[in-house]
Amino acid sequence: MRTTTKTVMGVLAGLAVAALAACGGSESADVSAKRMADALHAVMQSDRTVYTQKVVNRLANQDGVIVASEHWKDDKALPLPAQMFRMGAEETARNTSGFTYSLQSMWPINKQNAPRTDAEKKGLKYVADHPDKNYYAKEDLGGTTYFTAVYADKAVAPACVACHNHHRDSPRSDFKLGDVMGGVVIRIPES
Amino acid sequence: MRRGKLAGWMGWIAVVSALAGGLGYRMLSADDRSLFLPGETTDAHHQIELACESCHRSPFGGTAVLQNACMDCHGAELERADNAHPKSKFTDPRNAARVAVLDARYCVTCHREHVPARTRPMAVTEPKDFCVHCHRDIAKDRPSHAGLGFDTCASSGCHNFHDDRALYEDFLVEHGHDTTPAKRLNPALTPALAAKGEGDALSAADRDAPPDKVTDTVLREWSETGHARAGVNCTDCHGSGARWTDHPSRESCAQCHEPEEQGFLSGKHGMRLAAGLSPMTPARARLPMKSDALDRELTCNSCHPAHRFDIRHAAVDGCLGCHDDRHSRAFKGSPHHDLWLAEVSGRGQPDSGVSCATCHMPRRVRLRRGTPVTRVEHNQNANLRPNEKMIRGVCMSCHTLRFSIDALADPGLIRNNFSAKPSRHVKSIDMALEREQAHDDKQR
């Protein structure tokens, strides 16, 4: 092959390699699934904490102007923070397929919220044993691979432990403020 | 190509073209498309089965297209009923294994049309024990359910897949000990109270119809009743000047009665009109109908005819003029009807009577910008089947929860229109109260 041709081909090959290397999600160009899940969790955590402390705890427990109730429509009451969280998850699912999230526990009031998949079971156990760490895994569900993250869900207000310790359907009655009561599970599908 | 073979091909093309043309014309232009019905439709939809586009809005798009069609008609009611099993309960990927067995995200999974051989009550096309897929271990959380067959979950008067507003555990506990009813019916509007409209009341002398259109009967019926009292004159319905019509359309009623019109179109009386078809007639119905009413077209005037628009007539005789099934036939002579006769004659207290409309087209008082407004639910299906959805809005106005659950779960009482006491007791309240008591004892 002539030198000029070799040079041109070498340059083109080099450009091709550089272009391919630039695609494929380096940290600086795309957000990794882990960063996305952590960010989402930060927002969910904040929103629910604000609702629990500034709305439910203030109006129901301190000022006593309204109650918070599981059957909030019938009782003309405030939804419970866990319900507000779940309704948000359902609303999100209606609007986007980019991720899903749910609230689960090894000691659920509604048994449908017990961990179901292996990652959920391992993740909830992990965050219960290591409250300040998160659990990350990959899962295959229904033919799709997901990046799954589990975050510890702690009792942030006295109302949390009071209700769960006395609820007819709660399997535990010994929660304390600050205890891990369950976990937030976020799933991001890998395209 | 040899002549014989060419002739064969030409013949074949001719036959196929004729078939395609004929069938195409039948599908796209002809009035009767029943040739294309793959199977009998359910009682719910048979009235509109030839308006294929009601559900099959696009030839492409599959289940999602059907789902949108379902939600357009049924979504609002499911929302009002706080649907216990909405699609959103199943969309999380953690349900993937369950959805693979029974895809509860879509209505048509359990409510398929065109398959009469496997269609069960409430248009369900799944085996009766479908609850087992997700609730197999229920006996662990609810020992009272040990040994109960999964085919009895929804048929025993205990649970309803979509609407459990009167059946959820805490509601049973809250009302399980009631010995008197929780609330009373909304005040019934008698004809004397019927009209409180926008304009000043009109008298016979105020009529504005062309003179040749006025008869003594029409004048008396109008001037003595609600429309005149509300300031509604002849031309308000019939049109003025050159636009006068002897037979005002449904749209003319809807100028003022839009919620009632919307309710009518949402139910079995008006769903053909909502689908762009001709009005429903008793001849098309699957329920037994009076033989002398078969060709009557269902419009606003069918139940409350002009010009009196008598709502007391509408409440009973309007219905019984057409409906001839066992439940309807058993109404006159039933305790409910006795109460109605007493109220209408003045012997009974106001609100104490029970007509067909009391249960199936009840009055609701709603606040509209702070003002209470009474509306009659014109969707007769909104308080019909499954009958558990009538418990809170209708039955509990006069009866306790315990009695209501037992009565509605007794098919004999439905047939004889509640002419006897319930023959069996549904144990759901007892189970819930026992559990509550056990919890209280444990707490102490």
Side-chain angles (χ1 to χ4, degrees):
Chain A
M1 207 185 284
R2 287 171 56 188
T3 317
T4 328
T5 315
K6 273 195 209 166
T7 315
V8 168
M9 284 187 68
V11 168
L12 284 173
L15 282 172
V17 167
L20 283 170
C23 304
S26 67
E27 266 305 301
S28 56
D30 292 306
V31 173
S32 71
K34 179 178 174 302
R35 256 184 82 190
M36 179 172 158
D38 288 351
L40 288 169
H41 177 251
V43 174
M44 291 166 196
Q45 179 100 313
S46 308
D47 283 352
R48 188 157 56 119
T49 302
V50 164
Y51 180 71
T52 305
Q53 292 176 349
K54 305 284 194 282
V55 180
V56 176
N57 205 53
R58 180 176 63 95
L59 291 175
N61 300 336
Q62 290 172 5
D63 297 342
V65 297
I66 191 170
V67 296
S69 160
E70 192 178 330
H71 305 292
W72 44 273
K73 238 194 202 177
D74 278 345
D75 297 343
K76 295 189 175 22
L78 295 172
L80 301 172
Q83 290 176 307
M84 170 257 185
F85 189 89
R86 288 213 171 84
M87 288 193 279
E90 290 178 8
E91 183 66 26
T92 302
R94 278 191 276 274
N95 293 327
T96 179
S97 53
F99 68 98
T100 55
Y101 64 100
S102 59
L103 186 58
Q104 295 160 37
S105 173
M106 295 195 289
W107 316 281
I109 283 180
N110 184 333
K111 303 303 175 281
Q112 295 294 324
N113 297 322
R116 209 172 286 155
T117 69
D118 280 340
E120 288 172 0
K121 289 175 186 161
K122 288 195 181 114
L124 285 177
K125 177 104 185 30
Y126 183 82
V127 300
D129 295 339
H130 308 89
D132 295 321
K133 290 194 178 154
N134 306 328
Y135 177 86
Y136 303 100
K138 289 271 174 85
E139 269 188 305
D140 275 308
L141 298 169
T144 304
T145 305
Y146 295 90
F147 176 84
T148 300
V150 182
Y151 302 86
D153 204 52
K154 298 178 189 162
V156 298
C160 307
V161 299
C163 175
H164 276 258
N165 283 344
H166 294 109
H167 197 287
R168 192 172 58 220
D169 294 320
S170 175
R172 271 181 67 176
S173 53
D174 60 346
F175 287 114
K176 292 182 290 299
L177 201 60
D179 277 357
V180 173
M181 296 180 72
V184 172
V185 180
I186 300 179
R187 283 189 175 91
I188 299 164
E190 292 187 351
S191 48
Chain B
M1 198 186 279
R2 278 185 288 176
R3 289 246 311 260
K5 221 174 179 181
L6 179 64
W9 271 108
M10 296 304 293
W12 177 243
I13 289 170
V15 164
V16 169
S17 303
L19 262 177
L23 289 173
Y25 170 75
R26 212 55 198 279
M27 178 177 276
L28 296 169
S29 310
D31 283 334
D32 183 7
R33 295 190 279 182
S34 51
L35 180 67
F36 300 100
L37 269 178
E40 194 181 83
T41 47
T42 57
D43 293 349
H45 296 137
H46 78 98
Q47 290 187 33
I48 56 169
E49 65 184 6
L50 293 184
C52 314
E53 298 80 12
S54 305
C55 301
H56 300 283
R57 297 198 176 160
S58 157
F60 310 105
T63 317
V65 166
L66 294 175
Q67 183 71 9
N68 287 339
C70 302
M71 283 296 125
D72 276 353
C73 290
H74 297 282
E77 189 186 346
L78 285 170
E79 182 81 34
R80 274 196 305 273
D82 291 331
N83 191 1
H85 289 83
K87 178 177 179 174
S88 53
K89 277 247 186 302
F90 302 100
T91 50
D92 193 293
R94 68 193 303 252
N95 297 301
R98 287 180 168 181
V99 154
V101 171
L102 186 70
D103 195 345
R105 297 172 300 174
Y106 297 104
C107 308
V108 294
T109 302
C110 300
H111 295 284
R112 283 197 69 170
E113 278 289 354
H114 305 295
V115 286
R118 51 182 253 231
T119 301
R120 297 190 168 78
M122 297 314 302
V124 174
T125 48
E126 283 294 304
K128 281 208 298 194
D129 60 350
F130 65 87
C131 307
V132 72
H133 296 304
C134 296
H135 297 281
R136 187 181 301 274
D137 296 328
I138 190 62
K140 280 192 203 152
D141 301 324
R142 297 288 184 276
S144 58
H145 286 46
L148 296 179
F150 282 93
D151 55 338
T152 64
C153 304
S155 59
S156 51
C158 294
H159 296 290
N160 185 278
F161 187 83
H162 289 297
D163 185 347
D164 69 349
R165 284 177 295 174
L167 305 172
Y168 68 87
E169 198 176 18
D170 284 340
F171 191 80
L172 299 179
V173 168
E174 191 182 335
H175 293 285
H177 288 302
D178 285 353
T179 52
T180 54
K183 60 179 183 189
R184 300 298 309 173
L185 278 168
N186 299 318
L189 285 176
T190 62
L193 299 170
K196 186 123 188 13
E198 299 297 316
D200 294 327
L202 298 168
S203 69
D206 298 316
R207 67 187 184 273
D208 64 0
D212 60 313
K213 299 289 181 186
V214 182
T215 68
D216 286 342
T217 312
V218 165
L219 194 58
R220 192 176 58 250
E221 288 184 351
W222 167 75
S223 61
E224 287 174 358
T225 57
H227 281 111
R229 253 181 245 120
V232 178
N233 214 324
C234 316
T235 54
D236 291 321
C237 298
H238 288 274
S240 52
R243 287 200 307 277
W244 175 277
T245 168
D246 287 349
H247 301 287
S249 65
R250 188 185 84 238
E251 284 77 9
S252 145
C253 307
Q255 285 177 106
C256 299
H257 298 285
E258 195 191 336
E260 287 80 3
E261 192 219 15
Q262 289 306 309
F264 171 76
L265 293 174
S266 304
K268 293 273 184 73
H269 289 156
M271 66 189 292
R272 279 184 60 89
L273 290 169
L277 299 169
S278 60
M280 181 61 176
T281 58
R284 294 177 188 275
R286 287 187 179 171
L287 286 174
M289 295 284 168
K290 294 249 164 59
S291 51
D292 58 353
L294 291 177
D295 295 325
R296 291 175 57 186
E297 287 193 337
L298 253 177
T299 63
C300 309
N301 285 344
S302 307
C303 303
H304 23 57
H307 289 76
R308 197 170 282 281
F309 303 102
D310 183 348
I311 56 178
R312 272 191 178 156
H313 167 85
V316 175
D317 293 313
C319 316
L320 299 182
C322 293
H323 285 277
D324 200 29
D325 52 279
R326 276 184 294 195
H327 178 81
S328 305
R329 282 181 171 195
F331 179 61
K332 289 195 173 173
S334 70
H336 283 156
H337 185 240
D338 290 342
L339 288 169
W340 174 251
L341 290 176
E343 185 189 349
V344 160
S345 70
R347 285 180 287 117
Q349 291 293 314
D351 302 350
S352 61
V354 183
S355 64
C356 309
T358 306
C359 297
H360 297 299
M361 296 177 76
R363 297 180 175 279
R364 302 252 176 267
V365 176
R366 296 233 148 80
L367 281 182
R368 219 174 74 196
R369 290 185 282 273
T371 310
V373 171
T374 301
R375 290 246 175 265
V376 175
E377 174 58 78
H378 273 59
N379 177 353
Q380 47 54 250
N381 218 48
N383 290 278
L384 196 68
R385 293 166 71 223
N387 63 18
E388 294 98 344
K389 65 180 175 178
M390 296 175 66
I391 291 177
R392 283 177 65 154
V394 174
C395 312
M396 281 180 76
S397 300
C398 304
H399 300 285
T400 61
L401 176 63
R402 182 180 290 267
F403 182 85
S404 304
I405 290 178
D406 289 350
L408 292 182
D410 185 342
L413 281 194
I414 310 295
R415 280 193 295 271
N416 66 32
N417 211 314
F418 308 102
S419 296
K421 290 265 180 343
S423 61
R424 58 183 274 266
H425 173 58
V426 177
K427 296 199 179 65
S428 53
I429 288 184
D430 307 318
M431 288 176 178
L433 289 174
E434 269 168 37
R435 198 155 180 273
E436 176 76 357
Q437 187 61 51
H439 176 73
D440 286 345
D441 291 343
K442 207 167 144 199
Q443 295 276 294
R444 266 182 260 120

